[in-house]
Amino acid sequence: ALPPMPDALKTDATLVRGCSASVWVYPVVEDGQLSFLADSNAAITKGIIALVLKTVEGKTAKQIGTTDIEAALAPFDLKNQL
């Protein structure tokens, strides 16, 4: 489950391009650490977003840049499931 994202933040600027579902992501920086508000109109996509955000939540931009998100998500076998 993702924390609720206010509808006012679901704009063209926060829309992720290239997704088959509508996905919105809004970054929030606090004390140099990033957290994200996100939502999707598709339940499966929303679940995948939650997994990705759990991997990067509370890290600095530099830490996120060096995070191997693919390896972190490998146990979920998403490549074969989607």
Side-chain angles (χ1 to χ4, degrees), residues 10-61:
K10 296 177 188 175
T11 67
D12 194 51
T14 60
L15 184 67
V16 176
R17 307 273 185 256
C19 291
S20 58
S22 294
V23 176
W24 300 270
V25 178
Y26 183 82
V28 179
V29 180
E30 188 173 318
D31 296 327
Q33 295 180 325
L34 288 158
S35 63
F36 300 86
L37 294 172
D39 200 4
S40 176
N41 65 343
I44 292 173
T45 304
K46 195 171 188 173
I48 294 168
I49 293 166
L51 291 172
V52 171
L53 293 184
K54 186 172 180 128
T55 304
V56 300
E57 194 75 22
K59 294 183 177 181
T60 65

Side-chain angles (χ1 to χ4, degrees), residues 55-72:
T55 304
V56 300
E57 194 75 22
K59 294 183 177 181
T60 65
K62 184 176 181 177
Q63 290 170 320
I64 292 171
T66 60
T67 298
D68 187 346
I69 295 172
E70 187 173 340

